[in-house]
Amino acid sequence: MNKLRKILAPVALGVLALQSAGAGAQELTPVEVLLPIPEGLAFTPLIVARETGLFAEQGINVSTMVADGSGYLSQQIVAGNANFALMGAADAIVAYNKRNDVRVLFCNQVKNVYRIVARADTGITGMAGLEGRALGYTEPGGGESQLVSAAIAEAGLVVNQSITLVPIGAAGPQSLIALQNDTVQAYSSSFPDVAVLAASGIEWVDITPSKYSNVPGACMVTTEQVLATDEGLKTAKALATGWVQGQYFAIENSDAAFDQVCAAIEVACENEVTARALYKEALNLITPEAGQRPGALNRASWQTVVEIVSANGVVPADLDVLPLISGERVQAVVDAAYDGH
């Protein structure tokens, strides 16, 4: 990490590494990454890596295209229409089940982007406390649906018998009113929705079962077909290295990283209270447990993702996830990304 601090010390003072190193003079290889939602505080490492010249140092110019949700990204990777896509771990598992050469390189978040939370004033402290209560969620088939199904089943609850599920939408007036009026006592969605509602005055207690909290969030997905070419492997190494260095910098220099994102995407920080709440959650999700590395792949947590997805019969319960996150070429990318850390 000392090496990274030396590289990025000028950034903390507001001087772009790209400018100070004169890296802009070299010709950069364009790389497009598909994202499930627009760039913002959730993708701080990406923005930091671009704005500070970390990607440029690797010889690439990274642009993004927003697709229609993580599930759509899975389809694009399977069809071979994209080389790199950042998608939810569950969708990566689904893609891998359909195309066995799908590979994950690293994760933007090492913790689940979806969660189940209860209003603090209800006294609910765990999933069992939802018996006889109503749990709000965004919509049928929403990204949180698989987590909700698995957590309800594990708690021994039965939908429409011992627990009621109510679609109340993403963070906004409708969901806020449903919570304030006690239409629902708990809520499940992605961390931006939870953070926005918290900034609106809802005090939460996180009741997500611990084993589901520590599964990977959105991760960088490609295929062996891409990695099998010299150019594809080189690009994957450059992309992973720049992004992971962006993660290290954001974790170690949170205020400087926040300023970088706000300067690059002003709309993300128009409401400072909401932006700060969202950023706090975003940093929590990219920060690994002690002794682990940002973005690192963990087989046990990926097997838990299989357990969640297989609960609805989407993939086989005995699906072997190891090839998805390993192999000679994936390891070469990992070694490059964490060189010096």
Side-chain angles (χ1 to χ4, degrees):
M1 293 188 190
N2 289 335
K3 177 182 176 183
L4 184 60
R5 287 196 185 97
K6 291 178 181 178
I7 294 173
L8 291 178
V11 178
L13 300 176
V15 181
L16 292 180
L18 179 60
Q19 295 173 338
S20 62
Q26 71 180 37
E27 185 175 346
L28 304 178
T29 301
V31 179
E32 183 177 79
V33 176
L34 296 186
L35 298 179
I37 60 175
E39 288 187 24
L41 292 162
F43 301 123
T44 292
L46 159 68
I47 298 166
V48 166
R50 180 193 295 130
E51 296 301 310
T52 62
L54 288 171
F55 284 139
E57 288 178 3
Q58 298 301 317
I60 59 175
N61 178 26
V62 177
S63 61
T64 60
M65 177 178 292
V66 180
D68 186 18
S70 191
Y72 178 78
L73 299 185
S74 173
Q75 297 171 18
Q76 296 308 299
I77 287 290
V78 170
N81 295 332
N83 289 339
F84 301 99
L86 198 77
M87 69 179 71
D91 293 301
I93 292 287
V94 172
Y96 169 63
N97 188 53
K98 294 180 179 178
R99 177 173 172 166
N100 63 12
D101 77 329
V102 168
R103 299 291 181 264
V104 175
L105 303 177
F106 64 89
C107 293
N108 184 58
Q109 297 102 355
V110 291
K111 300 172 186 174
N112 202 340
V113 299
Y114 299 106
R115 60 198 49 182
I116 304 171
V117 290
R119 293 198 334 264
D121 62 348
T122 63
I124 298 171
T125 58
M127 287 296 298
L130 290 177
E131 184 172 0
R133 306 290 190 99
L135 171 64
Y137 64 106
T138 59
E139 61 183 353
E144 73 281 1
S145 60
Q146 292 169 334
L147 165 65
V148 168
S149 295
I152 286 176
E154 183 184 56
L157 301 174
V158 179
V159 177
N160 295 328
Q161 293 184 26
S162 54
I163 185 174
T164 302
L165 293 182
V166 184
I168 60 174
Q174 179 178 332
S175 55
L176 182 60
I177 291 172
L179 288 157
Q180 292 175 332
N181 290 351
D182 204 38
T183 302
V184 298
Q185 293 76 50
Y187 182 59
S188 182
S189 187
S190 60
F191 76 94
D193 285 337
V194 173
V196 167
L197 288 168
S200 299
I202 301 295
E203 185 179 351
W204 297 119
V205 173
D206 193 334
I207 61 172
T208 313
S210 59
K211 74 173 183 178
Y212 298 146
S213 293
N214 295 318
V215 300
C219 304
M220 188 63 67
V221 176
T222 186
T223 63
E224 278 286 351
Q225 183 177 7
V226 172
L227 298 177
T229 67
D230 291 341
E231 185 62 28
L233 183 59
K234 179 181 178 182
T235 300
K237 289 180 178 179
L239 179 61
T241 299
W243 200 301
V244 166
Q245 286 186 348
Q247 288 178 311
Y248 274 110
F249 180 76
I251 292 168
E252 295 179 348
N253 306 275
S254 61
D255 289 341
F258 180 78
D259 291 341
Q260 285 282 340
V261 176
C262 291
I265 306 177
E266 294 182 4
V267 67
C269 302
E270 285 182 341
N271 184 320
E272 185 173 355
V273 173
T274 300
R276 291 283 182 185
L278 178 54
Y279 184 63
K280 180 181 178 180
E281 291 296 323
L283 272 189
N284 173 55
L285 295 182
I286 71 170
T287 303
E289 300 296 327
Q292 299 182 22
R293 301 182 297 190
L297 307 174
N298 179 284
R299 183 179 183 180
S301 64
W302 279 92
Q303 286 298 160
T304 301
V305 179
V306 172
E307 177 184 330
I308 294 172
V309 180
S310 65
N312 292 328
V314 178
V315 302
D318 60 352
L319 182 67
D320 181 10
V321 76
L322 185 59
L324 173 67
I325 58 172
S326 66
E328 180 179 350
R329 297 185 180 95
V330 170
Q331 190 59 49
V333 173
V334 170
D335 290 343
Y338 295 101
D339 183 32
H341 299 294

